[in-house]
Amino acid sequence: MTRKLHEFADLYRRSGPWCVAYIDASAGNVDSLEAAEVRPVDVRRSLAQQGAPPEDQEAAETAVLPAEGIPSPVSRYLLVQQGTVALNELLPGELVVPERVSVDPVPDLLPLLKHRPEELPYIVAEVSREDAEIRLLFVGREESSVEDVEGEKEDITKLPAGGWSQDKFQRQTEQVWRRNADQVAEQIDRIVDSSGARLIVLAGDVRARGLVRDQLAEAHKPLVSMIDSHMPESGAGRRAFEDKVQERIALLWAAEQEQIMDRLAQQQGQANPESATGFGAVVNALQQAQVDLLILNDKALADHQLLALGAEPWVASAPEQSLGAEVLGQVPAPAALIRAAALTDASLLLVPDGVLPHGIDVAALLRWPTGPAAPGS
């Protein structure tokens, strides 16, 4: 899933050193409770051994106190600078990269980004022929907003005994259902336009679902996915329903990734491609602020190093490429590449093994083609 990085640009511009703690924060049983109690001291000791300032040691020790009342497993990402906690995130799930406590010249946000690839907005609406409950949710966030739509009610239990009057009453009832569906669709359209939602899950009454889908704006109809059930309040049924929603989100991510990889493949072999593949080519494109989307297999590049710079071009493979900018230090390549992408307003797609072409660990889609022609020439 692509992730926009501009929200982190100001963080990346601030000077270090930065203290990072990415640790297991679970406290759900006796063993983990005992580990949680000693964890703050362990974090402080590790930072002290690496030369962290005393004010950073203290801030980190306080920030990693046990997280009680949160279901296990849960991880914590902590970022401290100049005695101030810049980020302190509790992240549902197990560690996605090895645990670490370190003092770094620039923030390494990779663990946070792997937990939260994107706060994708989506809608889950349970509809009936009379009303609807519409939820706006975000991947990576627990909070949501709920809107209820109350439509007209028609007592269809009192149908006439047959004939023309029954047909007339049925037509009137159908009209009420359509007006209600139109009201629900109008509300969904409004939420999509204001939130940028990229998925609309419709559940509930089968006839109402069809009516609502038909009345949505044409641009929003391709976003619809149907779930053939109601949304239970709790219990196993609710978990099964939420699993179905997550399946729809996973399919959306897979389709977007496939489109991106198709675009990358189409650029291969072009005389002046709007893409770069390979370590050196991508670093060069980032130095020119040419990258629109960075495609990164972070696991494959975990043992590679790059130089983080204090000003443009932000990243370099060797000191002679710094163009006079201060060299802040040598850092893991994924951290340096992501930082340069954020500081040049690029987006990020993290991919596992086997997605990029064989032998390629990093690639990029570009804002303008490579080659001798400069933009605007």
Side-chain angles (χ1 to χ4, degrees):
M1 187 53 141
T2 59
R3 173 69 186 261
K4 295 186 182 301
L5 299 171
H6 58 81
E7 65 184 284
F8 302 114
D10 288 342
L11 192 70
Y12 278 126
R13 287 190 176 94
R14 288 156 55 181
S15 58
W18 293 86
C19 296
V20 177
Y22 177 60
I23 55 178
D24 179 11
S26 301
N29 54 51
V30 173
D31 292 339
S32 58
L33 277 172
E34 292 175 353
E37 289 173 356
V38 301
R39 192 173 294 129
V41 177
D42 290 343
V43 168
R44 179 165 191 157
R45 183 183 297 116
S46 179
L47 292 175
Q49 291 171 348
Q50 297 176 65
E55 61 270 24
D56 287 2
Q57 299 174 36
E58 183 177 354
E61 182 180 20
T62 303
V64 298
L65 291 172
E68 298 177 358
I70 298 177
S72 298
V74 61
S75 306
R76 184 190 297 276
Y77 179 84
L78 175 70
L79 193 61
V80 175
Q81 177 239 18
Q82 296 182 1
T84 301
V85 175
L87 289 172
N88 188 7
E89 301 282 344
L90 287 171
L91 307 164
E94 298 178 349
L95 297 171
V96 294
V97 296
E99 188 170 84
R100 59 179 287 198
V101 177
S102 60
V103 181
D104 303 324
V106 298
D108 183 355
L109 300 182
L110 177 64
L112 180 66
L113 294 171
K114 287 180 76 73
H115 271 278
R116 293 182 174 171
E118 183 182 14
E119 292 185 343
L120 177 145
Y122 64 100
I123 290 169
V124 177
E126 181 171 23
V127 299
S128 74
R129 303 180 194 190
E130 296 177 347
D131 51 28
E133 180 184 271
I134 305 170
R135 293 180 178 269
L136 172 63
L137 305 105
F138 294 81
V139 173
R141 277 199 231 162
E142 291 187 9
E143 65 267 26
S144 63
S145 61
V146 182
E147 296 191 20
D148 294 317
V149 178
E150 295 289 340
E152 302 175 48
K153 291 181 170 58
E154 187 75 16
D155 189 356
I156 60 173
T157 64
K158 297 180 180 179
L159 286 173
W164 178 85
S165 60
Q166 183 179 26
D167 292 342
K168 179 182 178 183
F169 191 86
Q170 184 63 43
R171 286 195 299 272
Q172 291 173 341
T173 302
E174 292 274 356
Q175 291 171 0
V176 170
W177 291 345
R178 291 182 187 280
R179 286 197 297 270
N180 290 345
D182 185 60
Q183 190 177 351
V184 174
E186 184 178 325
Q187 193 77 332
I188 292 175
D189 283 336
R190 183 189 62 77
I191 296 172
V192 173
D193 289 337
S194 62
S195 69
R198 286 156 50 194
L199 175 67
I200 302 169
V201 177
L202 294 181
D205 180 85
V206 60
R207 180 67 188 281
R209 280 187 274 133
L211 290 170
V212 169
R213 178 193 56 198
D214 292 345
Q215 308 226 49
L216 287 170
E218 288 299 321
H220 298 161
K221 289 179 181 178
L223 308 180
V224 172
S225 180
M226 300 282 200
I227 292 183
D228 191 19
S229 69
H230 293 273
M231 183 167 41
E233 288 294 326
S234 60
R238 179 59 179 248
R239 290 192 294 274
F241 181 88
E242 290 175 350
D243 286 345
K244 291 178 182 179
V245 174
Q246 293 305 311
E247 287 175 5
R248 270 57 173 189
I249 293 170
L251 289 171
L252 174 63
W253 282 350
E256 290 189 355
Q257 179 176 286
E258 184 177 1
Q259 290 173 357
I260 289 168
M261 300 314 298
D262 285 346
R263 284 178 58 198
L264 184 65
Q266 290 168 6
Q267 293 299 318
Q268 302 304 301
Q270 300 287 330
N272 300 112
E274 292 185 9
S275 67
T277 54
F279 197 67
V282 171
V283 169
N284 182 63
L286 283 168
Q287 289 177 322
Q288 300 177 66
Q290 192 179 4
V291 173
D292 184 50
L293 175 65
L294 175 66
I295 308 167
L296 175 62
N297 180 349
D298 62 279
K299 182 180 176 182
L301 291 178
D303 295 330
H304 291 68
Q305 300 284 312
L306 282 169
L307 298 178
L309 307 179
E312 295 175 348
W314 302 117
V315 65
S317 298
E320 57 268 24
Q321 295 179 354
S322 66
L323 302 181
E326 179 188 5
V327 176
L328 301 178
Q330 195 172 61
V331 300
L337 294 170
I338 292 170
R339 176 176 178 266
L343 289 166
T344 53
D345 200 28
S347 298
L348 173 69
L349 174 64
L350 294 171
V351 297
D353 293 337
V355 174
L356 285 165
H358 179 69
I360 295 173
D361 301 324
V362 61
L365 294 173
L366 306 179
R367 296 184 170 111
W368 63 85
T370 59
S377 64

